[in-house]
Amino acid sequence: MPRRKPHQHRPQRRKEVRPGPGGGQGDAFRCVGCRLEVPLAAPGTAHRNHCPTCLTSLHVDRRVPGDRRSTCRGRMTALGVEVRGDGEWVIIHHCLACGELSANRIAGDDNALALLRVALRPLSGPRLPLLQRAAL
Amino acid sequence: MTDTGSRSVLRTETFACVRCGLTVTALAPDGRRRNHCPSCLHSRHILDHVEGGPSECRSRMTPISIAVPRNGDWMLIHRCVRCGELTSSPLSGDDNQLLLMRLAVRPLAQPPFPLEGFGDL
């Protein structure tokens, strides 16, 4: 489907560190959530930072994406979805070990059903604030 | 200062919102301390969540999305406009419901894939 808004090109940060054993080899990694083998090449992005099937990520970066300076290495699950000004979805990941948040752009082969489940989570729960207000 | 004295000072304490300039009480209706403006939902980068402790940045933080943790409550995710750090904070009772719903439905208003196919699932 064509984008509804004209895509403003935003250059990506250059990535020096490649994930994998030894920091340099390997063109795939194993997801910590669903244990699937995930290739590093991702359509639409140069940074594969989450599993396209279950959207789980690993806490390896500290402040700058790709710096690999975090000592946590905890599992990060998708907490919510943010929409950038150009209409692109960004997954908010939440580290289950230390509680840190990070924002990661979605890739072209991400599971659409899993993405939609995360995006619908605020609207599907029982704590919808407007409904609470209407019930009073 | 005694405990009751500090609490009464806190009850009358106010701050001005960095974006809309609204003078806001520091305590929410439920008695907790607020960290964002109830009118425009903007916040200020006071705490550093990566290193811990107070932050040097002190810049404005915009609300970017609604997150739902396991317990089902809505959390508001803020991003600092200057350094890009993300924080999450709980909602208070008098937050602007219109802006909250806008944040919640914004992903569905601009989907990156057609949503029509999900009707067949």
Side-chain angles (χ1 to χ4, degrees):
Chain A
M1 192 170 88
R3 286 183 182 273
R4 296 186 180 165
K5 289 190 172 178
H7 181 65
Q8 297 159 347
H9 183 68
R10 185 173 178 275
Q12 289 195 343
R13 284 192 185 89
R14 205 163 62 86
K15 191 178 202 176
E16 284 91 4
V17 187
R18 308 277 294 172
Q25 298 85 34
D27 56 353
F29 65 92
R30 194 169 288 279
C31 168
V32 291
C34 60
R35 309 303 297 166
L36 281 179
E37 193 83 6
V38 180
L40 279 183
T45 175
H47 301 177
R48 169 83 83 187
N49 44 31
H50 57 265
C51 172
T53 310
C54 64
L55 308 182
T56 304
S57 178
L58 198 62
H59 191 189
V60 287
D61 294 339
R62 198 176 167 99
R63 274 202 201 271
V64 184
D67 63 356
R68 294 295 183 270
R69 284 185 56 206
S70 174
T71 54
C72 176
R73 299 197 66 81
R75 185 194 299 192
M76 302 186 86
T77 55
L79 189 65
V81 168
E82 175 216 346
V83 181
R84 278 193 184 157
D86 54 357
E88 184 174 55
W89 280 21
V90 177
I91 304 177
I92 310 283
H93 277 110
H94 174 242
C95 179
L96 295 182
C98 67
E100 177 78 17
L101 299 170
S102 76
N104 294 313
R105 294 172 61 227
I106 62 170
D109 58 349
D110 279 353
N111 188 348
L113 198 59
L115 283 175
L116 200 66
R117 272 191 65 181
V118 175
L120 279 176
R121 214 183 278 164
L123 301 172
S124 59
R127 298 291 189 95
L128 199 61
L130 283 182
L131 291 184
Q132 278 183 347
R133 188 65 53 91
L136 287 177
Chain B
M1 191 182 285
T2 62
D3 186 38
T4 54
S6 65
R7 207 178 292 159
S8 67
V9 167
L10 188 62
R11 203 181 298 139
T12 54
E13 190 185 332
T14 57
F15 64 91
C17 172
V18 280
R19 182 172 177 268
C20 65
L22 186 74
T23 305
V24 187
T25 57
L27 282 190
D30 54 356
R32 281 181 301 180
R33 203 179 173 89
R34 334 174 176 267
N35 53 15
H36 56 264
C37 169
S39 171
C40 67
L41 305 182
H42 280 242
S43 178
R44 194 164 197 185
H45 195 184
I46 304 280
L47 294 174
D48 192 327
H49 288 262
V50 176
E51 313 279 350
S55 172
E56 305 271 308
C57 183
R58 302 189 65 81
S59 184
R60 181 165 60 89
M61 302 187 88
T62 53
I64 57 169
S65 93
I66 302 281
V68 185
R70 287 282 166 86
N71 58 6
D73 280 335
W74 281 26
M75 302 279 283
L76 192 57
I77 309 277
H78 284 100
R79 172 185 286 132
C80 178
V81 294
R82 182 160 162 243
C83 64
E85 184 163 320
L86 299 171
T87 63
S88 68
S89 58
L91 300 181
S92 59
D94 55 351
D95 280 343
N96 191 338
Q97 306 283 327
L98 192 64
L99 283 184
L100 287 177
M101 279 310 281
R102 225 185 102 179
L103 281 177
V105 302
R106 196 188 283 167
L108 301 174
Q110 296 176 318
F113 36 77
L115 297 181
E116 287 80 18
F118 288 101
D120 304 333
L121 291 179

